[in-house]
Amino acid sequence: MRKIDSFAAAVHRRRRLCGLSLGEVAAKAGYSASYLSKLLHGHRPLLPAVVHDLDRALAAEGELDKIAVEQRGDTRPIARPVQLPPAATEFVGRDQQLQAMDHALVAQGRPGATVIIVIEGGFWTGKTALAVHWAAGVQARFPGGCLFADLRGLAPGAPADPEEILNGFLLALGVSSAELGTTTLQARIACYRTLLAERPAIVVLDNVADCRQAEWLLPGAGSVVLATSRERQSGLVARTGGTVIELPPLAAEQALGLLGRRVGEARVQASIAAAELVVERCGCLPMTVLIVAEHLQRHRETSFTALAECLDSEKTRLDLFTSSDPAVNIHGVVDVSYLALPPMARRVFRYLGIGPANVVTAESVAVLAGLDVERAGDALRLLVEAHLLEQLPSGRYRLSLLLRAYAHQRALVEERLAEVERAHDRALRWYAATAWEANNTLIPNWADSGITPQNIAGIEPMSFRAGGFDVAMAWCEQEVATALQVARNARTYGAKDALWLLPTAFLPYFVLTRSWNTWLVAAHDGLTAARAAGSDPGIARSLEALGWVEHELGRTDEGISHLEEALRRHEQLGDDRSRAWTAYGLGLAYAGSGRTAEARELHELADRLFAASGVKIGLAVNRAALAEVCDLLGVAEKAMEYALDALNRAQMFRSKAVLGIAHQRIGTLLARHDHHRIALKHFDEALAVRGRSWQRWGAAETLISRAEALCKLGEFEQAREAYIRSLEVLEAIRDSRATEVRARLASLDAAGAGWRRGASATA
């Protein structure tokens, strides 16, 4: 009892110095007052972890630890290893991951539980740095200290032997070499867990291969295991119920900040645009940023611009990260992940490196690699699990610039050039055929596809029959940028027509969504490709697309010139469907430039051609345009006849896009003739069917019309609300009409202020 009393006396003395009651001491240490009372009266053992918590709570600086050792009669010195390697001198970002690790420590730290945290991520993302940084911050809470081992799960040579790691841990915990040599493996595992049960510790297992390698090194209750791996550790997480911390590259601003810390903020800010390109092309990986910084410090004459250009080429992108030092040699680091893959996954990875697109789907990869979709999907999943490929929220996949360059170099060595060219041909033909299928679903029979049996020989495009308009629109929204990249990057000798077919196939999508910038790029790309291929149909189709978007962007003279040339070419080629759409687009351009009578002639020509070609949607939208020009020409009765006909036709289609156009046109006609209240009903009907993301331009158009009608009715607050909603949409899509709406809103606000002052003076 004397020894127990000495420990209890020390606790009471320290708590009085701190001005704490026994209950407050218990709460501060994380125990109940009842448990602490029993401990001080000798009814509970002086467990090292409990004693250490009390020592910390009372700021005893190890005094209570020493008294407890004496009372237990343990003459062996207490071993408290702290084996962490040096922490990163510049640690940036990772706030979200650090908070998740703190939360796991609290959430999993229930009685009898071991806290397991697994940090997963690609090469050079800073997994070890994050583990060391966090462990260094919390290790003081653990009386057993901190153990660290590199298990070399993905590293040149053989993985570390877990039995050797276990022996090293036991030696660090105070077990003698003689004891190790006389005990079985199972006895050593039990000893290890017993020691850490008495004195919980943080155990950092860096670069884990799999659950079996880590199994013997998992401690019992009270300790924390912090594992890192470049591969998904599903087995370890499933068995232990641990927390997974997915570690992506740094955010661009964090990578830029890290670069600035090394080379100086002033140097970065002086060339900020080029510096941003450098960190982007480095993949925003901490190690690549540090390698770049070291290069810039050694070669002061190197500019950020020159470095960005070097990193832009797949041929030279990896040069900066190639070294005889294995720690900073990207080839050696990625080799171990690549060579660990099964042959099919390696082949798909190589094809991703030489493919014409950075963002892919299982379907597009199947075509590129000549596989069925199921096998392509399996290979993609393996690449994601190895952190060699990123899976996007949309279900698509993206290869980083650095890994693309690595895969490209592998493909040049391991794939035949002829097969690479065939792969590009397959991808180009598939995208062209699928884009046609999707856009023909948006506007059925809108034009002759231009696709010949030779162009799609052996290619099976995606079908949109089951999903209809919505699925086709979703595919176009997701894939249009990738498709244009494919057309721009594909190296083909046998499918040159597809180089212009692919950009021009998206014309219905562009007409419906008003995606001006992408439309303009596609039109220019298509025209360049058509001229290079010497294709008359391609030139005509591309001029049509170019003239239409130029008119929509306010380049009326250029647009009219290109549309007129396209109309002549379509007539010479006998392509009546394309001629009908071109006449429709040219009629809109003429009407916009005040050539109303000529616009009516063109729309009447389009009407006849659409009717003869059986393009029902074309008839509906063209009748709506005819209503507008007839009204401008003073033929109001005919205008309303055309408008109502357009509305009746639009109601027959599953897609509501044309219905929105028809209601908008009728509302405009009614408002022009001062029937504002009735016009509002049609504007509301138009808004009801223009709620999709791809209809934002049309929604803004209707909101502006609605605001104008409300102003005429004197309902200024509602008008102001409509203007504000339209402005939000236009700013989001970066439409130049936002400036005009701001001016109208300011004028309305000024008029409203004047009206309110007048009303106040009258009162």
Side-chain angles (χ1 to χ4, degrees), residues 61-103:
E61 298 183 347
E63 178 188 356
L64 298 182
D65 285 322
K66 292 177 183 177
I67 294 173
V69 169
E70 292 176 1
Q71 290 186 177
R72 285 195 301 265
D74 189 352
T75 57
R76 184 173 61 188
I78 299 173
R80 188 180 184 277
V82 180
Q83 298 180 331
L84 290 175
T89 54
E90 284 101 4
F91 186 87
V92 299
R94 307 309 193 191
D95 292 341
Q96 182 180 349
Q97 288 78 19
L98 291 168
Q99 289 174 9
M101 294 164 79
D102 288 341
H103 178 74

Side-chain angles (χ1 to χ4, degrees), residues 284-566:
C284 292
L285 300 172
M287 179 60 80
T288 57
V289 172
L290 293 175
I291 292 171
V292 163
E294 192 270 342
H295 178 83
L296 289 168
Q297 287 173 308
R298 285 181 179 271
H299 304 279
R300 304 290 300 182
E301 74 284 358
T302 302
S303 68
F304 279 110
T305 301
L307 200 54
E309 290 175 357
C310 175
L311 292 168
D312 191 38
S313 168
E314 286 185 358
K315 293 182 179 179
T316 59
R317 186 173 296 145
L318 301 184
D319 291 354
L320 193 61
F321 312 112
T322 302
S323 170
S324 57
D325 182 351
V328 292
N329 180 18
I330 194 169
H331 294 281
V333 171
V334 182
D335 278 352
V336 291
S337 291
Y338 171 75
L339 295 173
L341 295 169
M344 183 55 65
R346 290 204 300 268
R347 179 170 177 266
V348 168
F349 181 65
R350 293 193 298 271
Y351 272 82
L352 292 175
I354 53 92
N358 291 334
V359 177
V360 297
T361 62
E363 292 81 4
S364 66
V365 169
V367 173
L368 181 70
L371 302 170
D372 60 61
V373 174
E374 184 178 355
R375 292 175 71 197
D378 290 341
L380 291 172
R381 281 188 289 275
L382 287 173
L383 292 173
V384 170
E385 290 177 0
H387 288 95
L388 292 173
L389 191 66
E390 176 188 5
Q391 185 167 11
L392 302 175
S394 62
R396 298 183 298 165
Y397 302 87
R398 178 170 58 202
L399 192 64
S400 74
L401 292 175
L402 293 176
L403 286 172
R404 181 176 172 84
Y406 174 91
H408 182 84
Q409 291 185 5
R410 280 281 183 179
L412 292 180
V413 174
E414 300 181 41
E415 298 293 337
R416 292 179 297 174
L417 179 60
E419 184 52 42
V420 170
E421 291 172 353
R422 283 195 289 270
H424 273 245
D425 275 3
R426 287 195 300 269
L428 181 60
R429 296 173 199 269
W430 181 83
Y431 270 104
T434 301
W436 167 257
E437 289 288 336
N439 282 270
N440 200 49
T441 302
L442 299 181
I443 299 181
N445 302 316
W446 71 277
D448 175 26
S449 70
I451 295 174
T452 65
Q454 292 75 25
N455 280 337
I456 57 169
I459 297 297
E460 185 177 347
M462 289 181 65
S463 173
F464 300 93
R465 291 190 186 91
F469 183 96
D470 290 340
V471 174
M473 178 59 74
W475 186 88
C476 288
E477 286 189 294
Q478 282 195 345
E479 297 293 338
V480 61
T482 299
L484 296 181
Q485 184 188 33
V486 168
R488 203 174 299 121
N489 295 342
R491 296 181 292 274
T492 181
Y493 296 97
K496 289 189 176 181
D497 276 351
L499 293 173
W500 67 260
L501 280 168
L502 181 49
T504 57
F506 283 95
L507 186 56
Y509 167 75
F510 294 138
V511 169
L512 291 171
T513 62
R514 300 296 201 271
S515 304
W516 312 123
N517 293 334
T518 311
W519 186 349
L520 187 62
V521 169
H524 277 295
D525 285 354
L527 186 57
T528 300
R531 284 174 171 161
S535 169
D536 290 333
I539 293 171
R541 191 80 60 81
S542 300
L543 285 169
E544 174 191 346
L546 182 59
W548 205 332
V549 70
E550 285 171 336
H551 155 62
E552 296 284 5
L553 289 171
R555 305 175 191 175
T556 305
D557 291 342
E558 296 172 73
I560 287 175
S561 175
H562 286 133
L563 285 167
E564 287 174 341
E565 184 180 351

